[in-house]
Amino acid sequence: MKIIFSTFIFIIGGVFGSFSNVLIYRIPENISIITPSSFCPKCGVKIRFYDNIPIISYIILKGKCRSCEGKIPLRYLLVEVIMASLFLLSYIKFGFSINFLKSITFIFFAVNISTIDMQKMLIPDVLSLPGLIMGFLFAFLSGKFLYFLTGGIIGAVIPGIFYITGKIIKRELMGEGDIIILAMIGLYTGWINVFIVLFIASLIGSIVGISLKIKKKIKYLPFAPFLFASAILLIFYDFSTFLPYLFFKSYLK
Ligand SMILES: [Zn+2]
């Protein structure tokens, strides 16, 4: 039975991944997400339902549009595979529970916002604000409202300080978008994890940033993917087992 449910969850994840690809393409371009139905961005031809199956269609079509043979970016496949896998991992970790719903909701927003930030250097409010509101809802349902609410507040205050400092010294240290997504991460993961997420994200971010700068590959390094990746890591792996804040453990559980 577990196999059947796992397969089902993986497919659902793929469908959400496919929908995310629509959002990732259309939100920055200001195209309605409902109409028109899926089309090839190169030749404009309407994509048939049998060419719109998550993951499978990309492989069958070898990453090319059926009518114009234009290349479909690998991103489409990656978003679907990542979403499906993370949905499946959430089910394995939490089973059917409120934490499962919370996990896949967070993953959905995380993948969408991170990909748009990577592609367009933009954190759209139409995604980050609903993500924040859902975070409030799950915090409320958790029975530990204060713990998660404090997370949201600390998540907003820390980048807020960097943001204001940046305004004063006239150098952008952190964007407005970062304030919303760190507040969101705090709401979903709780206050102690805001510090851990910031620590891991800055560490990995600087390693990647420095190595890319040496190769002169980029000018702008999006921070959202690092923040979200660290937060997702925290969802699946409980760092509190070895970090020196065991003192707080009773408070965390
Ligand atoms: Zn085409």
Side-chain angles (χ1 to χ4, degrees), residues 39-47 64-72:
F39 59 89
C40 166
K42 292 203 172 86
C43 67
V45 131
K46 196 171 169 284
I47 293 164
K64 282 178 191 158
C65 164
R66 194 185 282 278
S67 72
C68 73
E69 300 226 317
K71 227 171 163 262
I72 307 165

mmCIF file of all heavy atoms in Angstrom, residues 39-47 64-72, ligand 1:
data_model
loop_
_atom_site.group_PDB
_atom_site.id
_atom_site.type_symbol
_atom_site.label_atom_id
_atom_site.label_comp_id
_atom_site.label_asym_id
_atom_site.label_seq_id
_atom_site.Cartn_x
_atom_site.Cartn_y
_atom_site.Cartn_z
ATOM 1 N N PHE A 39 1.534 26.877 -24.054
ATOM 2 C CA PHE A 39 1.986 27.045 -25.439
ATOM 3 C C PHE A 39 3.501 27.040 -25.470
ATOM 4 O O PHE A 39 4.160 27.261 -24.460
ATOM 5 C CB PHE A 39 1.430 28.351 -26.023
ATOM 6 C CG PHE A 39 1.844 29.580 -25.257
ATOM 7 C CD1 PHE A 39 3.015 30.255 -25.563
ATOM 8 C CD2 PHE A 39 1.056 30.057 -24.194
ATOM 9 C CE1 PHE A 39 3.405 31.380 -24.834
ATOM 10 C CE2 PHE A 39 1.450 31.182 -23.460
ATOM 11 C CZ PHE A 39 2.620 31.847 -23.781
ATOM 12 N N CYS A 40 4.044 26.765 -26.674
ATOM 13 C CA CYS A 40 5.497 26.793 -26.839
ATOM 14 C C CYS A 40 5.939 28.249 -26.908
ATOM 15 O O CYS A 40 5.442 29.009 -27.724
ATOM 16 C CB CYS A 40 5.897 26.049 -28.109
ATOM 17 S SG CYS A 40 7.590 26.364 -28.623
ATOM 18 N N PRO A 41 6.878 28.687 -26.027
ATOM 19 C CA PRO A 41 7.279 30.101 -26.044
ATOM 20 C C PRO A 41 7.990 30.477 -27.336
ATOM 21 O O PRO A 41 8.104 31.663 -27.654
ATOM 22 C CB PRO A 41 8.227 30.221 -24.842
ATOM 23 C CG PRO A 41 8.379 28.876 -24.261
ATOM 24 C CD PRO A 41 7.535 27.900 -25.004
ATOM 25 N N LYS A 42 8.455 29.480 -28.110
ATOM 26 C CA LYS A 42 9.196 29.803 -29.345
ATOM 27 C C LYS A 42 8.271 29.962 -30.547
ATOM 28 O O LYS A 42 8.330 30.944 -31.265
ATOM 29 C CB LYS A 42 10.265 28.738 -29.604
ATOM 30 C CG LYS A 42 11.359 28.833 -28.536
ATOM 31 C CD LYS A 42 12.677 28.251 -28.976
ATOM 32 C CE LYS A 42 13.759 28.555 -27.940
ATOM 33 N NZ LYS A 42 13.824 27.563 -26.847
ATOM 34 N N CYS A 43 7.392 28.962 -30.792
ATOM 35 C CA CYS A 43 6.545 29.041 -31.989
ATOM 36 C C CYS A 43 5.091 29.377 -31.646
ATOM 37 O O CYS A 43 4.278 29.610 -32.539
ATOM 38 C CB CYS A 43 6.609 27.742 -32.798
ATOM 39 S SG CYS A 43 5.882 26.330 -31.952
ATOM 40 N N GLY A 44 4.747 29.388 -30.366
ATOM 41 C CA GLY A 44 3.416 29.797 -29.955
ATOM 42 C C GLY A 44 2.347 28.720 -30.099
ATOM 43 O O GLY A 44 1.194 28.929 -29.743
ATOM 44 N N VAL A 45 2.747 27.542 -30.622
ATOM 45 C CA VAL A 45 1.765 26.471 -30.829
ATOM 46 C C VAL A 45 1.261 25.925 -29.494
ATOM 47 O O VAL A 45 2.014 25.830 -28.527
ATOM 48 C CB VAL A 45 2.397 25.354 -31.715
ATOM 49 C CG1 VAL A 45 2.190 23.969 -31.126
ATOM 50 C CG2 VAL A 45 1.840 25.431 -33.114
ATOM 51 N N LYS A 46 -0.037 25.627 -29.446
ATOM 52 C CA LYS A 46 -0.670 25.092 -28.242
ATOM 53 C C LYS A 46 -0.107 23.695 -27.954
ATOM 54 O O LYS A 46 0.027 22.882 -28.872
ATOM 55 C CB LYS A 46 -2.179 25.015 -28.490
ATOM 56 C CG LYS A 46 -3.011 24.841 -27.241
ATOM 57 C CD LYS A 46 -4.492 25.014 -27.605
ATOM 58 C CE LYS A 46 -5.394 24.589 -26.467
ATOM 59 N NZ LYS A 46 -5.523 23.142 -26.284
ATOM 60 N N ILE A 47 0.238 23.441 -26.699
ATOM 61 C CA ILE A 47 0.820 22.132 -26.362
ATOM 62 C C ILE A 47 -0.307 21.151 -26.051
ATOM 63 O O ILE A 47 -1.174 21.414 -25.231
ATOM 64 C CB ILE A 47 1.804 22.254 -25.185
ATOM 65 C CG1 ILE A 47 3.029 23.080 -25.621
ATOM 66 C CG2 ILE A 47 2.255 20.877 -24.696
ATOM 67 C CD1 ILE A 47 3.874 23.592 -24.496
ATOM 68 N N LYS A 64 12.524 18.734 -26.871
ATOM 69 C CA LYS A 64 12.255 19.605 -28.034
ATOM 70 C C LYS A 64 10.757 19.764 -28.254
ATOM 71 O O LYS A 64 9.984 18.846 -28.006
ATOM 72 C CB LYS A 64 12.870 18.994 -29.295
ATOM 73 C CG LYS A 64 14.361 19.199 -29.388
ATOM 74 C CD LYS A 64 14.875 18.513 -30.640
ATOM 75 C CE LYS A 64 16.394 18.435 -30.660
ATOM 76 N NZ LYS A 64 16.833 17.359 -31.556
ATOM 77 N N CYS A 65 10.347 20.949 -28.773
ATOM 78 C CA CYS A 65 8.949 21.176 -29.109
ATOM 79 C C CYS A 65 8.574 20.300 -30.309
ATOM 80 O O CYS A 65 9.337 20.193 -31.264
ATOM 81 C CB CYS A 65 8.751 22.658 -29.442
ATOM 82 S SG CYS A 65 7.198 23.018 -30.301
ATOM 83 N N ARG A 66 7.365 19.664 -30.249
ATOM 84 C CA ARG A 66 6.984 18.753 -31.323
ATOM 85 C C ARG A 66 6.828 19.478 -32.663
ATOM 86 O O ARG A 66 7.116 18.919 -33.710
ATOM 87 C CB ARG A 66 5.667 18.040 -30.959
ATOM 88 C CG ARG A 66 5.374 16.841 -31.854
ATOM 89 C CD ARG A 66 4.016 16.254 -31.536
ATOM 90 N NE ARG A 66 3.989 15.421 -30.326
ATOM 91 C CZ ARG A 66 4.358 14.147 -30.297
ATOM 92 N NH1 ARG A 66 4.775 13.549 -31.372
ATOM 93 N NH2 ARG A 66 4.302 13.471 -29.153
ATOM 94 N N SER A 67 6.370 20.747 -32.621
ATOM 95 C CA SER A 67 6.105 21.404 -33.910
ATOM 96 C C SER A 67 7.301 22.184 -34.445
ATOM 97 O O SER A 67 7.609 22.101 -35.625
ATOM 98 C CB SER A 67 4.842 22.264 -33.833
ATOM 99 O OG SER A 67 5.088 23.402 -33.070
ATOM 100 N N CYS A 68 8.016 22.943 -33.598
ATOM 101 C CA CYS A 68 9.103 23.756 -34.152
ATOM 102 C C CYS A 68 10.485 23.184 -33.839
ATOM 103 O O CYS A 68 11.490 23.699 -34.320
ATOM 104 C CB CYS A 68 9.018 25.203 -33.653
ATOM 105 S SG CYS A 68 9.485 25.413 -31.919
ATOM 106 N N GLU A 69 10.517 22.091 -33.034
ATOM 107 C CA GLU A 69 11.779 21.460 -32.634
ATOM 108 C C GLU A 69 12.678 22.390 -31.828
ATOM 109 O O GLU A 69 13.863 22.123 -31.668
ATOM 110 C CB GLU A 69 12.538 20.940 -33.870
ATOM 111 C CG GLU A 69 11.748 19.894 -34.659
ATOM 112 C CD GLU A 69 12.583 18.683 -35.033
ATOM 113 O OE1 GLU A 69 13.743 18.878 -35.446
ATOM 114 O OE2 GLU A 69 12.082 17.561 -34.882
ATOM 115 N N GLY A 70 12.094 23.519 -31.354
ATOM 116 C CA GLY A 70 12.853 24.428 -30.493
ATOM 117 C C GLY A 70 13.179 23.733 -29.183
ATOM 118 O O GLY A 70 12.402 22.912 -28.698
ATOM 119 N N LYS A 71 14.354 24.048 -28.631
ATOM 120 C CA LYS A 71 14.792 23.382 -27.418
ATOM 121 C C LYS A 71 13.953 23.823 -26.212
ATOM 122 O O LYS A 71 13.752 25.016 -25.994
ATOM 123 C CB LYS A 71 16.256 23.708 -27.172
ATOM 124 C CG LYS A 71 17.056 22.483 -26.830
ATOM 125 C CD LYS A 71 18.551 22.764 -26.787
ATOM 126 C CE LYS A 71 19.221 21.647 -26.045
ATOM 127 N NZ LYS A 71 19.529 21.856 -24.666
ATOM 128 N N ILE A 72 13.453 22.872 -25.430
ATOM 129 C CA ILE A 72 12.769 23.195 -24.175
ATOM 130 C C ILE A 72 13.861 23.210 -23.094
ATOM 131 O O ILE A 72 14.590 22.235 -22.963
ATOM 132 C CB ILE A 72 11.692 22.145 -23.818
ATOM 133 C CG1 ILE A 72 10.725 21.934 -24.996
ATOM 134 C CG2 ILE A 72 10.934 22.558 -22.571
ATOM 135 C CD1 ILE A 72 9.870 20.683 -24.867
HETATM 136 ZN ZN ZN B 1 7.505 25.286 -30.674
#
